[in-house]
Amino acid sequence: MAEEPSSSTTSSVQLPQQFHAIHGTLVQLSENGFSAFRLRPSHEFNQGLVFSSRSLKDEQVFEVRIDRKVHSWTGSIQIGITTQDPATFHPAPPPNALDIVNKSWVLSGCNLFENGKIIVEDYGPNLDELSEGDRVGVMRTSEGDLVFYVNSFAQGVAVSGIPQTIYALVDLYGKCVEVTVTNHRETQSQPRPLLTLSSVVMDSNQVNQEEESCSTASTPSGALQDRLRFHHRCGTMVKLSAGQRTGERRRPLDEFNNGVVMTQRPLLPDELFEIRIDSLVDKWSGSIEVGITTHNPVALDFPSTMTNLRSGTIMMSGCGILTNGKGTRREYGQCNLDELGEGDRIGLIRKTNGDLHFYVNSRDQGVAASNVPNPVWGVVDLYGRTVRVSLIDREDAIKAPTNEPEEDSPVVEQLLFHTRCGLHAAVVNGGTTGHRPNAQSDFNHGVVLTSRPLKPDELFEVVLDKVVLKWAGSIEIGVTTQRPEDLDFPATMTNVRSGTWMMTGNGVMHNGLTVLDDYGTSLDRLGSGDRVGVIRRSNGVLHFFVNGEDQGPAAGNVPDKVYGVVDLYGQAAQVSIVTPSPATPLTDSSPYPSYLYPAPSHLLAPLVSPTSLADSTYALPTSSSSTSASSTLIHTDLSFHKLHGRNTTLSSNCLTASRPNALSEFNDAICITSRPLRPGEVFEVIIEKLVERWSGSLELGVTSIRPENLDFPSTMTDITYGTWMLSGSSVMQDGTITRNGYPLDLDALHEGNRVGLLRHADGSLHYYLNDQDQGAACWGVPQDLYAVIDLYGQCAQVSLVHRPLQASGIPPDQQEGDATPLDSTTSELASGGQPHRHCHRLSPHCGRAITISDDGRTAKREDKDFENGLVFSLLPLQPEESFDVRIETISQRWAGSLGIGITTFHPQEGTVIPSTLSGLDSAWYISGSNVFQSGRQFLASCLPLEHLVVGDVVSIRRTVESALRFAINGRDLSVLIPNIPHGAYVVLDLHAMVQSVSVKSIGKVGSLPESLATTPAAAATSSVPAATGTLPLSLSQLALREAMQGIQSAFSSRFGIAFSQQQRFHDHHGRNIVFKNNGQTAQRTASYNQGLVYSKEPIVPGSCFQVKIEQLDERWTGSLMLGVTAIPPDKMPSTPPTCALLLKRPSWIISGRALHQGGRKVRSDLKFDLNELRVGQSAGVHLSQTGHLHVLIDGFDCGSVAWVGTSESLFAVIDLYGKTAEISTVSLRSASTTTSTPTTQPALNEEKALRESSNSEKSLTGGKTNPHRSCRYKLACSRFVNIMGLPDAYLESEGSVCGCAQCFCEQEGTLNKVGEEVKGWCRWIVRNRRSVDKKDGPGSNEKWQTAFHGTRPSVVRRILDEGHLLSPDLNVWQRTKAARRSSKGNDGESNGQLLFSPSLQPATLAPTAELYDPLHKKIQRGQVVLQVLVQPGSYKVRKATSPLNALAPLAPAAITMGGSVTCSSDPAHQQQLLNPHAESTAITDEDPAIFWYTKERGAAIVQALLIKLDETASASS
């Protein structure tokens, strides 16, 4: 219950306060005692304490106004109270308020101190940031609480228990120089008392006035005295702005709660508390919550959401009412807060009868609660989708704006020189002339200042009356914050170290330091009659003029109260002020041209022509005279916004942006366009000025943040949402690098270069350099974006270039926002021309409920089935390619929605297709609002796909870094899936309500194989095996071949590598290295270290870098070190490390038998020793397609030593250490000779087949056993592999091993020796798309285990196509009844298991196959075994019971004709092959062998292919 104030308190008249006669030693009081001034403010920062003349009464506010500040110091005004009578300070008060240790409470900055010790942090606004004219006050309430005021706004209770007798104190500290007591004559604007929970002190009349002020019928001036705003105490993720009337949740894409804000005072009865939703994000569920609470924000421990409070809280959430966190009304009103959009308004009123009403867009939703207690605070929870809200007042909407001045403008005082001036200067002619009387004998001490500060946009100009040629140097002119009365006049004005900006010579100096060189016309060349002037614009920008010509912006953020200053230095002997001096902004009719007006069109003639402008969105005004001044102005609404970074200056009608202090400031220079870019509109700037002082340069991009809502950071890359930027050659989204190595490097631009950007119709953002498209930088960029430019580092000035779209190198089909690339491509196809791109199509093999139509571009699911709707793309998704589908029809019969992703599984004729995406073994996809990998959820809370409607376009894009991104209608879902394997296909699941989709995207240039250049129907027809023909190439094989060729061509074009060229070393090398032989030989000239060399180009995945040892120095120990590093050599320190092991950044170095990663040893068990290399031997590194680092010794692959990945460019590192004195590079083999593709035609030309067979054999043999001998047995095995129809792309071109008797003997003691059990076999490493996970790679405690799996030649190709072993019914060990019986072991496991053996011997029971060799016109007989890696724990072990004596009778074999596998034409033979006899080869329970069996097809990865020919058909050399 509020207490009634005493009559004495309300009726007593309080005399105005003055400053006490006791004050700091440097303080000077005015005659009336209401103002205080600190003397010598440029030399002293303290000794400025002043006190109130009398003790403060309760509820009496002592308030002062800041009249003057200087910028020489840090810190500013301090205010507080003390219990010590000022008269007791002898001989003077302390120098600082914080030095009063006898009962004092002082607010300094934003912290509260008691007796010099901090007790409250972040109490309120920072007093150091207040400006001249701002007011601060202090008050003791009747309850003994201490409250501070800033600009009449109470900041809440700071501390309680304050004694009765107190004096106010103010410290004119640091920047604060002069203050005035305001409440002696400003009683009409007294701050209102603080409303607290314990009491609301107001009498009945005051209550009526408050109620009347809050009513909707009237808007008295008093209603705005204590207008609602948000309390400074709020949730941890909230940022307040706009005078604490706007609240915004930081990191809205990462955080969804901790966004509670409350009003700064309780709500009055019938007072409307209303907010407007300014910004939303679509990532989260749930949205804004609004309500009231009885909790005081000063004492509240803010929860993550207001619904967590269990007392005194009523909130509207969604369409219900929650009281103390529990639902009391499930359905309330007609609106759902979760469905509101940007611009919608939400309000509430607590009626005088205690009823609570909510309002949505001014519509009353009815009574939400009754008997609501008083007082209550308004509360808003920025939850989920809601990011930003603002308080709105009904008074603001009613009050009409007016341009009439409130009072008459004061008469401008004539500008004169002050009588106080330099030692050798004098002011004459009534203050209009300053001169140096003894100009022939002295050259300095000639500083003169104006008698008053300059007005905004007032030109201070002087004319040189007299010049003395005896001296060097001449006049200097500028502005200063130093008052003439206080300035200790220096010899030259450039010696002043604070608050001074001077033009001297042709440069600009600030506080004695040069900030601009070559600024304008040199003042040292001026003579008698020349004029020089200076003007400070209203926006704080300083301009200098020479003979009426504007020299351009010289400085920014210049304070508003500055004096004009002239230094009569050197030759300048006398100057006079030019009158009249206009006190209004310069116009186009003024003799002084302004940078705030458009430039003549002839200056932009090389960029814009009237003819081209007439056809574009920008046009010149029509005029009868082409030479008139009005017709030469470019009329366009695209310009820079008036809001920008603090170090930015705009000119030329906001078409030019510059950083005036380019030599002293390198950031805080962000500019943004005045409006969003239109569809097809190019944003382009020309670089006009660069400085060489800094590193880094221009940054360019787009943002969805409006300029009014942007809290300009130091650099634009600090923004963490809604921003896409190009910085250097790195593409960044929301402050995170998403791509490195973009073709355009902004740090390498020069003056005169034009750089621009354009958002294409497909949602991709392209950059342009001098009209040349640099390619897509990022995708999924939404529309309605603002262009933003950061004048960072070297970039000091740019200007907007307005160009027609046709002149920017942009295809016509992308200039209109509604034009789609599909239309242009379709027209090309229809016209019979050669299309540059192909339309994406769907595979004819799909789920059983799907029908493919429209030439493979439309898929429809039967409405009676809600699943079995998997659809696959016809071709793999290439890097930088987007696959877009449009929702055509939706069925409301089912729940759920579309699923989209990518998979390595690609169905063929007869392949069993899973019913849903979760049935795919290797897939990454979005379903619902979650992201899955192979049926396992690993990412949640993306935009749910259940909200899709007809017409929505869903996109999936693969980046150059092998990552996936998703978008809906061009808006990125902020989902990034890394490390996607090559050759993966898009997969769609037309699940539940999504019934049909159509493909709208276009494939990349060159991504369509020639064999698939026909329609999908034709492709499907050709993929069906003929009755008498051969088995054609599968789509996955074609895709793998195209993917490999595309990777080679992409890396070749990106890094400039010709695969047949000689490798070279980089120019950056160790101190003791010299190069010979055109950079192909490196020699160490001294010592044993300082011998680092690098490869000139990055190592392309699938390639290697090898060196040959030319010379050894036996005086030393240790030898060659080699490895890779992710640091480009040109970015290495100028002095490389002495040893490769000192490379700390991402690097992998092999030394001896050990592997070092980042300078730390991680392995010491390598099976080779680099210290044992001799002269003539070679060593190198090989980077596989899967990112594994292999070591090559004399061309032999010694296996993988580490997984290094392929996301970064890796350079080879060679250290000529110890013994190694000279090395030379080894030439690369041409990549084109390592691949050969079998033909797809049924009838094979015999001569062509023999030639391809011979080429394939050469590719498969590798020639690594002995370079001087060819192994006939290996050639025969290679021919056998070629006859099996395996493309070379599936097998590694190097690393094959022969185990025949002679090769086995020659391999004794070498690094490539095969095991004893592999003797007689030839082995090829399989280049499989699947790989062991990183955590199971080298160095892991849990390694996959090697096993062997026998199979038939006719199914090997299908195994490699699918990337998995075949299902058990096709397993050669389980094709008989005996085998099926034996597959059920003693433990009762069911049949249908995949069988492996840990040793090779049991696997050799696989039947010997017979393949026809067209080269020798005979049958080749051999066995095939796959060496696999089996995941630990995925199998069970079984031991047989009887010995394995000899090979069982052979099963009927398949015959291959002309390199393609086919069944025999004899029907009986085919039947025998499909249903072999029971006595055929099988593993039974009587065989004493160890077997592993499992049902998991994904538990085994094919590692190598082993071939063994029948002894009668093979011969050793």
Side-chain angles (χ1 to χ4, degrees):
M1 189 70 179
E3 298 178 357
E4 289 290 332
S6 63
S7 59
S8 60
T9 303
T10 58
S11 61
S12 62
V13 178
Q14 298 177 355
L15 297 177
Q17 285 277 9
Q18 296 174 305
F19 287 127
H20 201 282
I22 302 298
H23 49 70
T25 58
L26 293 180
V27 173
Q28 178 178 335
L29 300 180
S30 62
E31 294 182 359
N32 56 12
F34 291 122
S35 295
F37 174 76
R38 191 179 83 236
L39 300 175
R40 303 180 63 194
S42 300
H43 299 80
E44 299 291 341
F45 60 88
N46 55 7
Q47 299 288 353
L49 265 177
V50 291
F51 304 91
S52 60
S53 58
R54 299 183 309 277
S55 62
L56 300 183
K57 304 297 182 180
D58 290 346
E59 309 297 340
Q60 179 187 6
V61 178
F62 180 82
E63 188 179 46
V64 297
R65 181 186 65 240
I66 301 175
D67 292 334
R68 184 183 169 202
K69 296 184 69 175
V70 296
H71 299 277
S72 308
W73 314 102
T74 59
S76 189
I77 188 173
Q78 300 176 147
I79 189 171
I81 60 171
T82 179
T83 59
Q84 186 173 354
D85 189 342
T88 61
F89 287 107
H90 293 290
N96 190 290
L98 299 182
D99 295 334
I100 302 177
V101 296
N102 184 18
K103 295 295 183 179
S104 65
W105 292 265
V106 179
L107 181 62
S108 176
C110 58
N111 301 323
L112 181 65
F113 293 79
E114 180 179 359
N115 300 331
K117 297 182 180 179
I118 188 170
I119 58 174
V120 178
E121 294 183 356
D122 296 330
Y123 165 72
N126 193 340
L127 301 187
D128 296 344
E129 298 176 356
L130 298 182
S131 304
E132 294 179 359
D134 288 335
R135 293 169 297 166
V136 290
V138 62
M139 180 189 74
R140 180 190 183 274
T141 67
S142 57
E143 291 82 13
D145 297 333
L146 184 65
V147 180
F148 290 91
Y149 288 82
V150 176
N151 291 324
S152 298
F153 287 111
Q155 305 303 309
V157 176
V159 65
S160 301
I162 301 298
Q164 182 71 34
T165 303
I166 56 174
Y167 293 83
L169 66 87
V170 177
D171 192 352
L172 306 182
Y173 180 80
K175 297 179 180 179
C176 183
V177 175
E178 184 176 353
V179 296
T180 299
V181 178
T182 61
N183 52 3
H184 73 283
R185 56 183 175 86
E186 297 178 5
T187 56
Q188 70 276 12
S189 61
Q190 276 279 35
R192 294 172 56 135
L194 178 74
L195 297 174
T196 63
L197 260 179
S198 58
S199 64
V200 181
V201 183
M202 58 179 69
D203 57 17
S204 59
N205 294 330
Q206 290 174 320
V207 171
N208 295 333
Q209 291 175 1
E210 296 292 351
E211 292 179 356
E212 182 181 358
S213 66
C214 295
S215 65
T216 60
S218 62
T219 57
S221 60
L224 297 180
Q225 292 289 330
D226 197 14
R227 62 192 304 206
L228 283 175
R229 53 192 172 88
F230 292 126
H231 199 280
H232 70 273
R233 294 195 73 247
C234 49
T236 57
M237 299 306 298
V238 174
K239 177 180 69 174
L240 300 179
S241 59
Q244 296 183 214
R245 291 180 59 82
T246 297
E248 180 178 1
R249 192 177 79 242
R250 296 184 177 94
R251 298 168 57 196
L253 297 179
D254 300 325
E255 300 288 343
F256 61 89
N257 53 9
N258 289 306
V260 177
V261 290
M262 297 175 60
T263 57
Q264 96 283 8
R265 61 168 175 82
L267 301 179
L268 301 176
D270 292 323
E271 180 180 14
L272 175 64
F273 168 59
E274 189 173 24
I275 55 98
R276 179 186 64 239
I277 300 176
D278 295 334
S279 179
L280 297 171
V281 294
D282 294 329
K283 182 174 181 180
W284 313 104
S285 60
S287 190
I288 189 172
E289 298 175 351
V290 180
I292 58 172
T293 180
T294 59
H295 295 277
N296 193 330
V298 175
L300 178 63
D301 185 9
F302 281 79
S304 59
T305 63
M306 277 304 289
T307 53
N308 290 343
L309 284 182
R310 293 296 182 260
S311 63
T313 303
I314 302 175
M315 301 293 295
M316 181 177 180
S317 175
C319 59
I321 301 297
L322 300 176
T323 303
N324 301 332
K326 298 180 180 180
T328 54
R329 297 190 62 176
R330 187 179 300 272
E331 297 292 339
Y332 167 74
Q334 295 82 35
C335 298
N336 190 335
L337 299 189
D338 295 343
E339 299 176 355
L340 297 183
E342 296 178 356
D344 288 333
R345 306 187 313 276
I346 312 169
L348 60 87
I349 291 179
R350 178 195 173 274
K351 301 289 187 179
T352 53
N353 60 0
D355 291 342
L356 180 64
H357 290 246
F358 285 93
Y359 297 82
V360 177
N361 294 324
S362 301
R363 297 182 61 181
D364 191 352
Q365 305 298 304
V367 178
S370 300
N371 300 321
V372 176
N374 187 38
V376 291
W377 281 260
V379 60
V380 179
D381 193 346
L382 304 177
Y383 182 80
R385 298 173 58 234
T386 305
V387 176
R388 181 186 175 104
V389 299
S390 295
L391 278 168
I392 56 176
D393 291 332
R394 188 160 299 178
E395 293 85 352
D396 296 338
I398 297 174
K399 184 178 180 180
T402 177
N403 295 326
E404 296 182 359
E406 296 182 359
E407 55 181 318
D408 295 336
S409 300
V411 178
V412 178
E413 179 186 355
Q414 182 182 0
L415 194 63
L416 301 173
F417 287 127
H418 199 280
T419 55
R420 289 194 75 239
C421 53
L423 180 64
H424 296 156
V427 176
V428 295
N429 295 335
T432 60
T433 300
H435 72 127
R436 216 168 65 240
N438 300 320
Q440 294 290 345
S441 59
D442 54 67
F443 61 89
N444 56 5
H445 286 283
V447 176
V448 289
L449 275 71
T450 57
S451 58
R452 61 168 175 83
L454 301 179
K455 304 294 183 182
D457 295 310
E458 180 181 14
L459 177 65
F460 168 58
E461 187 179 31
V462 297
V463 59
L464 270 170
D465 296 328
K466 184 178 179 180
V467 174
V468 177
L469 300 179
K470 179 179 179 179
W471 312 105
S474 187
I475 187 173
E476 298 176 354
I477 190 171
V479 295
T480 180
T481 59
Q482 309 289 337
R483 296 177 60 186
E485 299 87 351
D486 306 327
L487 179 63
D488 293 335
F489 283 85
T492 64
M493 207 52 199
T494 54
N495 292 341
V496 178
R497 292 294 184 262
S498 65
T500 303
W501 292 261
M502 298 294 296
M503 181 178 179
T504 169
N506 61 347
V508 177
M509 301 184 71
H510 174 45
N511 297 337
L513 299 177
T514 300
V515 294
L516 285 179
D517 289 323
D518 299 327
Y519 165 69
T521 303
S522 177
L523 301 186
D524 297 340
R525 300 177 181 178
L526 300 183
S528 297
D530 287 331
R531 292 171 296 149
V532 58
V534 62
I535 185 173
R536 178 197 172 274
R537 298 291 184 186
S538 57
N539 58 0
V541 179
L542 194 69
H543 288 246
F544 290 95
F545 293 83
V546 177
N547 290 324
E549 182 179 355
D550 191 351
Q551 306 298 300
N557 299 321
V558 178
D560 55 353
K561 189 176 291 187
V562 292
Y563 295 80
V565 57
V566 174
D567 192 348
L568 300 176
Y569 180 81
Q571 298 179 3
Q574 180 175 313
V575 296
S576 296
I577 297 178
V578 178
T579 56
S581 56
T584 56
L586 298 175
T587 63
D588 53 359
S589 61
S590 172
Y592 309 104
S594 172
Y595 266 58
L596 301 178
Y597 290 88
S601 62
H602 71 271
L603 298 179
L604 302 176
L607 303 179
V608 183
S609 64
T611 304
S612 62
L613 284 172
D615 297 332
S616 67
T617 56
Y618 308 101
L620 292 173
T622 59
S623 176
S624 58
S625 175
S626 60
T627 61
S628 64
S630 61
S631 64
T632 60
L633 298 180
I634 299 175
H635 292 263
T636 173
D637 59 344
L638 184 64
S639 59
F640 291 120
H641 200 279
K642 62 181 180 180
L643 299 177
H644 49 71
R646 64 179 181 87
N647 288 332
T648 307
T649 299
L650 300 182
S651 57
S652 297
N653 203 18
C654 295
L655 298 178
T656 297
S658 59
R659 199 174 77 245
N661 302 327
L663 295 179
S664 59
E665 299 282 350
F666 62 89
N667 56 2
D668 287 310
I670 296 173
C671 299
I672 190 170
T673 53
S674 56
R675 60 165 175 80
L677 299 179
R678 299 188 178 103
E681 182 176 10
V682 180
F683 173 78
E684 187 176 22
V685 297
I686 183 172
I687 299 177
E688 297 179 339
K689 185 174 181 180
L690 297 174
V691 294
E692 301 294 337
R693 184 167 185 174
W694 313 104
S695 61
S697 189
L698 178 77
E699 296 178 351
L700 181 64
V702 293
T703 180
S704 60
I705 309 173
R706 300 178 58 189
E708 297 82 0
N709 301 335
L710 180 61
D711 187 9
F712 287 86
S714 58
T715 61
M716 200 61 193
T717 53
D718 293 340
I719 299 293
T720 58
Y721 66 99
T723 305
W724 295 259
M725 296 294 296
L726 178 63
S727 176
S729 60
S730 300
V731 181
M732 305 184 70
Q733 179 178 355
D734 301 339
T736 303
I737 296 178
T738 59
R739 176 182 178 184
N740 287 313
Y742 184 68
L744 175 60
D745 187 356
L746 296 183
D747 294 343
L749 299 181
H750 305 286
E751 291 183 1
N753 286 149
R754 301 190 314 276
V755 59
L757 58 82
L758 169 68
R759 179 194 177 275
H760 284 223
D762 60 353
S764 62
L765 184 65
H766 289 239
Y767 287 88
Y768 295 83
L769 176 62
N770 297 328
D771 297 337
Q772 299 298 319
D773 189 354
Q774 305 299 306
C778 48
W779 298 266
V781 179
Q783 296 184 8
D784 299 329
L785 296 177
Y786 294 82
V788 61
I789 188 169
D790 193 347
L791 304 180
Y792 181 81
Q794 297 179 2
C795 185
Q797 182 169 314
V798 298
S799 290
L800 271 172
V801 178
H802 294 133
R803 306 173 56 88
L805 300 181
Q806 294 83 352
S808 300
I810 300 154
D813 62 335
Q814 296 176 3
Q815 293 175 14
E816 296 296 334
D818 55 354
T820 60
L822 181 62
D823 299 332
S824 60
T825 305
T826 306
S827 62
E828 288 178 349
L829 294 173
S831 62
Q834 180 65 26
H836 298 286
R837 298 185 291 181
H838 67 279
C839 299
H840 279 144
R841 297 188 178 97
L842 301 174
S843 171
H845 307 297
C846 50
R848 68 185 183 188
I850 293 295
T851 302
I852 303 295
S853 60
D854 192 18
D855 203 17
R857 288 188 293 188
T858 301
K860 183 176 181 181
R861 191 193 77 246
E862 298 177 2
D863 191 38
K864 64 181 181 180
D865 197 347
F866 67 91
E867 55 183 6
N868 293 302
L870 289 189
V871 184
F872 303 86
S873 62
L874 184 64
L875 295 175
L877 192 63
Q878 301 295 327
E880 295 191 3
E881 194 173 50
S882 177
F883 193 94
D884 308 331
V885 294
R886 182 180 186 271
I887 309 297
E888 298 295 345
T889 59
I890 286 181
S891 174
Q892 300 298 334
R893 179 179 178 185
W894 311 102
S897 185
L898 179 76
I900 185 171
I902 203 165
T903 180
T904 56
F905 173 79
H906 197 251
Q908 303 298 317
E909 188 70 28
T911 305
V912 178
I913 299 176
S915 60
T916 61
L917 285 171
S918 59
L920 296 175
D921 290 336
S922 182
W924 297 260
Y925 57 91
I926 289 181
S927 180
S929 59
N930 300 315
V931 184
F932 297 84
Q933 178 179 355
S934 303
R936 178 176 55 88
Q937 178 181 340
F938 73 96
L939 185 63
S941 298
C942 70
L943 185 65
L945 300 183
E946 285 85 353
H947 297 166
L948 294 176
V949 297
V950 174
D952 284 344
V953 176
V954 184
S955 305
I956 179 173
R957 173 172 288 277
R958 180 184 186 135
T959 68
V960 292
E961 293 86 5
S962 295
L964 280 187
R965 301 196 74 92
F966 299 86
I968 296 179
N969 296 327
R971 186 166 187 174
D972 194 359
L973 300 187
S974 300
V975 174
L976 180 68
I977 305 178
N979 302 325
I980 298 301
H982 291 287
Y985 297 80
V986 176
V987 58
L988 305 171
D989 190 355
L990 274 62
H991 184 70
M993 71 175 188
V994 177
Q995 193 171 1
S996 67
V997 298
S998 61
V999 181
K1000 295 299 182 182
S1001 54
I1002 297 178
K1004 278 185 58 180
V1005 177
S1007 63
L1008 182 64
E1010 295 179 358
S1011 58
L1012 293 177
T1014 58
T1015 63
T1021 305
S1022 62
S1023 64
V1024 180
T1028 59
T1030 62
L1031 181 65
L1033 282 174
S1034 68
L1035 293 179
S1036 58
Q1037 291 170 346
L1038 285 172
L1040 184 59
R1041 181 188 68 181
E1042 291 297 325
M1044 294 180 61
Q1045 294 176 352
I1047 291 172
Q1048 292 175 353
S1049 63
F1051 275 96
S1052 177
S1053 61
R1054 179 177 180 183
F1055 300 112
I1057 297 178
F1059 288 86
S1060 60
Q1061 291 182 354
Q1062 181 80 14
Q1063 293 177 325
R1064 289 180 171 83
F1065 296 117
H1066 197 277
D1067 295 335
H1068 190 78
H1069 53 75
R1071 186 176 61 186
N1072 294 332
I1073 291 295
V1074 294
F1075 287 148
K1076 300 185 296 184
N1077 191 20
N1078 196 20
Q1080 299 176 15
T1081 300
Q1083 182 181 16
R1084 194 183 74 237
T1085 57
S1087 187
Y1088 63 89
N1089 56 6
Q1090 297 282 0
L1092 276 180
V1093 292
Y1094 310 92
S1095 60
K1096 186 176 181 62
E1097 304 291 346
I1099 302 179
V1100 179
S1103 66
C1104 61
F1105 185 89
Q1106 299 183 75
V1107 296
K1108 179 182 178 182
I1109 297 181
E1110 302 290 351
Q1111 183 181 346
L1112 293 177
D1113 188 348
E1114 299 295 341
R1115 295 181 301 169
W1116 310 105
T1117 59
S1119 189
L1120 184 77
M1121 302 182 194
L1122 58 86
V1124 293
T1125 180
I1127 311 175
D1130 51 5
K1131 294 186 179 180
M1132 287 282 188
S1134 57
T1135 303
T1138 58
C1139 174
L1141 300 182
L1142 298 180
L1143 292 173
K1144 299 299 183 182
R1145 293 282 298 275
S1147 59
W1148 294 263
I1149 305 296
I1150 298 98
S1151 175
R1153 292 180 177 271
L1155 171 67
H1156 299 256
Q1157 181 177 352
R1160 183 173 58 89
K1161 183 187 291 187
V1162 294
R1163 290 187 64 181
S1164 58
D1165 57 346
L1166 302 180
K1167 294 180 172 54
F1168 54 86
D1169 190 349
L1170 295 184
N1171 294 332
E1172 298 178 357
L1173 295 177
R1174 312 306 302 169
V1175 174
Q1177 287 189 285
S1178 65
V1181 290
H1182 166 73
L1183 180 62
S1184 69
Q1185 298 284 359
T1186 58
H1188 286 81
L1189 181 66
H1190 294 245
V1191 175
L1192 306 178
I1193 304 294
D1194 289 334
F1196 291 102
D1197 189 352
C1198 299
S1200 173
V1201 296
W1203 186 90
V1204 298
T1206 58
S1207 59
E1208 295 185 284
S1209 299
L1210 298 175
F1211 292 80
V1213 180
I1214 310 294
D1215 191 354
L1216 280 69
Y1217 184 81
K1219 295 180 181 179
T1220 306
E1222 184 176 337
I1223 60 174
S1224 60
T1225 60
V1226 178
S1227 61
L1228 285 168
R1229 294 188 172 189
S1230 175
S1232 60
T1233 62
T1234 62
T1235 57
S1236 177
T1237 305
T1239 180
T1240 60
Q1241 301 298 330
L1244 183 66
N1245 181 274
E1246 184 173 348
E1247 181 179 357
K1248 182 178 179 181
L1250 295 178
R1251 182 169 62 252
E1252 291 184 355
S1253 176
S1254 177
N1255 292 337
S1256 297
E1257 292 157 14
K1258 293 178 182 179
S1259 173
L1260 291 172
T1261 54
K1264 293 301 178 185
T1265 303
N1266 191 331
H1268 304 291
R1269 181 184 63 82
S1270 177
C1271 178
R1272 295 181 182 178
Y1273 181 71
K1274 189 173 183 180
L1275 287 174
C1277 292
S1278 300
R1279 190 177 305 115
F1280 190 85
V1281 173
N1282 187 60
I1283 297 172
M1284 290 169 57
L1286 299 182
D1288 296 337
Y1290 279 149
L1291 304 178
E1292 295 282 358
S1293 58
E1294 298 180 355
S1296 58
V1297 177
C1298 178
C1300 67
Q1302 187 167 350
C1303 291
F1304 188 83
C1305 296
E1306 291 179 355
Q1307 292 169 1
E1308 289 291 340
T1310 66
L1311 297 174
N1312 209 38
K1313 183 181 181 302
V1314 298
E1316 184 71 28
E1317 62 179 1
V1318 191
K1319 184 177 181 181
W1321 295 76
C1322 278
R1323 181 178 64 187
W1324 283 269
I1325 303 299
V1326 172
R1327 183 182 292 142
N1328 203 302
R1329 288 174 297 175
R1330 297 184 60 210
S1331 60
V1332 180
D1333 190 55
K1334 298 178 187 177
K1335 66 181 181 179
D1336 300 321
S1340 174
N1341 295 328
E1342 184 185 31
K1343 298 182 179 179
W1344 288 41
Q1345 299 170 349
T1346 301
F1348 299 91
H1349 176 80
T1351 185
R1352 293 176 291 130
S1354 58
V1355 297
V1356 171
R1357 184 171 178 180
R1358 185 172 176 185
I1359 291 176
L1360 299 183
D1361 278 347
E1362 299 184 9
H1364 297 282
L1365 297 178
L1366 291 184
S1367 55
D1369 60 325
L1370 297 178
N1371 193 318
V1372 69
W1373 288 348
Q1374 296 160 275
R1375 293 187 56 82
T1376 65
K1377 294 180 180 179
R1380 286 193 291 271
R1381 288 195 302 270
S1382 65
S1383 65
K1384 187 170 184 178
N1386 298 331
D1387 55 358
E1389 291 291 337
S1390 62
N1391 59 359
Q1393 308 284 355
L1394 288 175
L1395 295 184
F1396 314 98
S1397 65
S1399 61
L1400 182 59
Q1401 182 181 4
T1404 59
L1405 296 181
T1408 300
E1410 294 182 351
L1411 304 180
Y1412 177 73
D1413 186 357
L1415 182 63
H1416 296 91
K1417 309 288 186 184
K1418 65 178 183 180
I1419 300 295
Q1420 289 280 7
R1421 304 177 70 242
Q1423 291 179 290
V1424 179
V1425 173
L1426 296 178
Q1427 181 178 335
V1428 297
L1429 291 176
V1430 184
Q1431 186 177 12
S1434 64
Y1435 61 85
K1436 294 185 179 180
V1437 181
R1438 188 184 68 186
K1439 185 174 182 181
T1441 56
S1442 64
L1444 297 170
N1445 298 322
L1447 292 175
L1450 297 175
I1455 299 178
T1456 298
M1457 303 292 295
S1460 297
V1461 181
T1462 181
C1463 295
S1464 170
S1465 58
D1466 184 4
H1469 181 75
Q1470 295 181 9
Q1471 184 67 23
Q1472 184 183 17
L1473 177 63
L1474 298 176
N1475 299 287
H1477 298 293
E1479 61 270 11
S1480 299
T1481 301
I1483 304 299
T1484 63
D1485 290 337
E1486 289 76 18
D1487 297 326
I1490 297 297
F1491 292 104
W1492 300 341
Y1493 62 96
T1494 181
K1495 287 185 178 181
E1496 301 179 18
R1497 296 177 60 196
I1501 298 176
V1502 180
Q1503 186 183 29
L1505 171 68
L1506 280 72
I1507 301 294
K1508 183 176 184 180
L1509 299 183
D1510 190 90
E1511 294 181 353
T1512 60
S1514 61
S1516 180
S1517 59

